[in-house]
Amino acid sequence: NILPNGGSILYVVEKLWESLSYNQESDIFFVKPIDGIIGKKFAPDKGHIGMDFSVKEGTPVVASASGTVIFANYTTNNGYVMIIQHKNNYLSMYKHCSALLKTTRNFVIQGESIALSGNTGTNTTGAHLHFEIWKNSQPIDPEKLLIN
């Protein structure tokens, strides 16, 4: 960029700031919710709309992105489940937990502990975390959005 005649340090600082900043409203980043081996990948054609992390029961689960807990309760099929609403119409879901550490309407920060992995519900075959990401009511392959 060419400085205007008689340019100022303020102009330089503003241009530097513009080049370094990004539009936070459109960007969202997800981190892995748990340290574990991926046991089952996203396969919507086979009815699996998330990914499974094979872990020991009681392994800490963290919020994949910051947001508001909109569901935290027990369900027959998926056991203890937590759903977090994120900006830009994203949802993340954490299923088969042994314990939930947050309740509905809690705001959680990315990386904050929210649950413990488990083997709860009738739709499970062993200790693991089933993790889903949705955008605009459509499931998305979490591996395409995870930054780590």
Side-chain angles (χ1 to χ4, degrees), residues 24-91:
Q24 292 180 341
E25 286 304 307
S26 63
D27 293 339
I28 185 167
F29 305 100
F30 291 89
V31 298
K32 281 170 57 173
I34 199 164
D35 285 328
I37 297 166
I38 297 172
K40 200 172 184 185
K41 295 188 175 215
F42 184 78
D45 52 322
K46 296 179 181 164
H48 196 253
I49 55 174
M51 61 191 299
D52 292 345
F53 292 90
S54 298
V55 293
K56 290 197 302 188
E57 190 164 337
T59 303
V61 177
V62 301
S64 190
S66 298
T68 303
V69 176
I70 61 169
F71 182 85
N73 214 328
Y74 187 84
T75 67
T76 303
N77 290 341
N78 296 307
Y80 287 103
V81 175
M82 185 170 296
I83 302 173
I84 301 173
Q85 172 74 58
H86 309 285
K87 65 182 181 180
N88 299 335
N89 293 318
Y90 281 100
L91 292 176

Side-chain angles (χ1 to χ4, degrees), residues 34 55-61 96-99 115-119 128-129:
I34 199 164
V55 293
K56 290 197 302 188
E57 190 164 337
T59 303
V61 177
H96 309 298
C97 299
S98 62
L116 301 176
S117 66
N119 186 28
H128 74 287
L129 174 72

